[in-house]
Amino acid sequence: MDSLNIGDIVQAWDPSSGDLLWSKVELFLDYNPKMTSEFVEIETEMGDKMALSARHLIPIREGAGLQWKWAERVAVGDEVHNTKRWIRVSKVSSRVSQGVYAPLTSAGTLMVDGVAASCFAVVQAHEVAYWATKPAVWMAQWFGESVQQGIHWYSRLLLDHAWPMASGLMTR
């Protein structure tokens, strides 16, 4: 994540079709290369391994559909989507590392070390977060965007004002 830049094209995942696609990094919802934080490390039976913040959303297969779960709630046996198919989680652990990055793509998803993930954290509803951040994406597209240290001003606005009104969607 530390090598990503605004404007880069990355592999993403379409939750409605399950297809891989290419998507532009529009902005960073959070960018703090010096911050040390705890991450949830999720490993699949195929050896795919990704690390996410505890409250980062990841799609989990549930029957014929999917559910967005916080990384801290992913369990061994859950199924995540890698670049080819749904695959079982074989191990969940935690680690501390330096660097917090939350790129926002046009698609609202991205592949993290070969596993599909949402661009969103804190909020439990991927679709709500996707549409709530659309104005920030449009502003970045119209006026340009540069990387800002820390939490993006639009993310801060949502965290401080919008999400508290929708308290069922998040927990601080």
Side-chain angles (χ1 to χ4, degrees):
M1 292 292 168
D2 60 344
S3 63
L4 278 182
N5 293 299
I6 292 171
D8 286 353
I9 304 297
V10 297
Q11 199 168 42
W13 183 72
D14 181 346
S16 58
S17 68
D19 294 333
L20 296 178
L21 52 96
W22 296 100
S23 190
K24 180 180 173 187
V25 175
E26 300 288 353
L27 55 92
F28 282 85
L29 297 169
D30 196 354
Y31 185 88
N32 197 332
K34 295 182 181 184
M35 183 176 185
T36 300
S37 188
E38 187 170 344
F39 294 88
V40 176
E41 195 166 72
I42 297 167
E43 189 171 341
T44 71
E45 292 176 336
M46 297 296 291
D48 304 302
K49 192 185 288 187
M50 69 186 306
L52 301 161
S53 64
R55 293 288 170 103
H56 203 100
L57 289 172
I58 184 168
I60 303 295
R61 182 160 74 171
E62 288 235 335
L66 71 88
Q67 173 190 4
W68 295 94
K69 272 189 181 180
W70 282 332
E72 69 183 7
R73 294 189 178 160
V74 173
V76 171
D78 282 347
E79 291 185 31
V80 297
H81 203 285
N82 70 6
T83 56
K84 297 179 179 124
R85 61 187 175 92
W86 291 101
I87 185 99
R88 288 192 192 282
V89 171
S90 60
K91 183 179 179 185
V92 179
S93 58
S94 64
R95 73 169 190 204
V96 174
S97 49
Q98 186 174 340
V100 174
Y101 309 95
L104 176 57
T105 66
S106 302
T109 62
L110 71 160
M111 299 301 288
V112 177
D113 299 323
V115 179
S118 172
C119 290
F120 308 111
V122 181
V123 178
Q124 292 180 343
H126 170 82
E127 295 81 9
V128 172
Y130 175 79
W131 289 108
T133 56
K134 272 300 176 191
V137 169
W138 295 329
M139 285 185 275
Q141 291 170 343
W142 294 336
F143 305 114
E145 182 73 29
S146 60
V147 175
Q148 301 174 22
Q149 253 336 77
I151 297 176
H152 190 277
W153 68 268
Y154 192 84
S155 295
R156 176 60 51 210
L157 178 77
L158 290 175
L159 287 168
D160 291 347
H161 301 288
W163 296 142
M165 290 184 279
S167 61
L169 299 176
M170 72 172 277
T171 304
R172 281 191 181 243

